[in-house]
């Protein structure tokens, strides 16, 4: 018959401030190889938050997957590791490649050790703005408002970011 596995729409946040153009490009290639066609936001540049370091490139990617949350998290950790990411780093530090699950369909709560939706959506312009670029009318599963409205209502004073030309 057909595929009985449910496909989930997942939004991922990608960030890098070490050899960032190479790592973002390579990370996108690894995601495409693993998950097929990607929806990709513009790439934003922003200053490091919480520590002194080189500016970051950040973007949001939409994928469709049949993997569970835990399987997906493990696959993303492998991609990070392949890009030189060392686990156990300080929370605020330079990153070769950081990939976080922002949302997994409309799931909420802690699932397979992953908190959904990720709270960074509401805390950082470099997460919410590219998410709005991809899914402006999608509804935040806990707050029940579209991301576009959440961005309009947010005060990201001091969180400057700007679109950069980027050829994936």
């Amino acid at each position: 018959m057909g595929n009985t596995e449910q496909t989930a729409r997942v939004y991922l946040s990608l960030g890098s401030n070490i050899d960032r153009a190479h790592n973002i490009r390579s990370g996108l290639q690894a995601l495409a190889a693993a998950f097929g066609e990607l929806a990709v936001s513009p790439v934003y540049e922003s200053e490091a938050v919480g520590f002194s370091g080189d500016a970051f490139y950040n973007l949001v990617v939409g994928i469709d997957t049949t993997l569970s949350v835990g399987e997906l998290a493990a696959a993303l950790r492998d991609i990070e590791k392949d890009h030189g990411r060392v686990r156990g780093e300080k929370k605020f530090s330079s990153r070769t490649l950081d990939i976080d699950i922002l949302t997994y369909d409309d799931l909420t709560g802690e699932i397979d050790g992953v908190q959904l939706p990720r709270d960074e959506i509401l805390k950082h312009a470099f997460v919410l703005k590219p998410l709005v670029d991809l899914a402006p009318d999608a509804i935040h599963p806990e707050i029940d408002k579209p991301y576009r409205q959440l961005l309009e209502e947010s005060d990201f004073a001091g969180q400057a970011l700007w679109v950069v030309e980027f050829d994936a």
Side-chain angles (χ1 to χ4, degrees):
M1 287 285 179
N3 182 353
T4 56
E5 291 185 88
Q6 288 294 317
T7 300
R9 183 59 167 184
V10 176
Y11 289 103
L12 307 171
S13 171
L14 276 72
S16 174
N17 76 333
I18 298 172
D19 197 7
R20 57 195 187 169
H22 166 77
N23 281 310
I24 292 293
R25 193 172 289 114
S26 178
L28 289 170
Q29 291 167 350
L31 288 170
F35 301 105
E37 188 174 341
L38 307 176
V40 181
S41 78
V43 175
Y44 288 86
E45 186 174 26
S46 63
E47 294 169 357
V49 175
F51 71 102
S52 176
D54 294 331
F56 275 80
Y57 278 174
N58 292 97
L59 67 156
V60 168
V61 174
I63 64 168
D64 295 307
T65 184
T66 56
L67 294 179
S68 70
V69 174
E71 291 166 338
L72 176 59
L76 297 176
R77 280 193 300 272
D78 286 344
I79 293 171
E80 289 177 334
K81 198 171 67 191
D82 290 346
H83 287 80
R85 171 80 190 267
V86 178
R87 285 274 150 198
E89 298 167 318
K90 294 193 308 257
K91 178 171 172 62
F92 296 110
S93 62
S94 293
R95 298 275 192 264
T96 51
L97 184 64
D98 189 25
I99 308 174
D100 295 318
I101 301 170
L102 298 177
T103 62
Y104 184 105
D105 276 347
D106 292 328
L107 295 181
T108 61
E110 187 172 316
I111 297 150
D112 297 339
V114 177
Q115 189 62 43
L116 294 170
R118 193 165 178 89
D119 63 356
E120 272 86 350
I121 294 171
L122 303 175
K123 290 182 179 175
H124 299 299
F126 64 76
V127 176
L128 184 56
K129 179 68 177 94
L131 183 57
V132 168
D133 291 330
L134 278 187
D137 299 317
I139 304 296
H140 188 289
E142 286 180 330
I143 298 177
D144 203 31
K145 291 181 180 180
Y147 294 115
R148 175 197 324 260
Q149 182 180 347
L150 293 172
L151 181 62
E152 290 166 0
E153 294 172 355
S154 296
D155 178 12
F156 289 123
Q159 291 191 36
L161 72 159
W162 48 94
V163 173
V164 293
E165 290 298 318
F166 192 87
D167 295 320

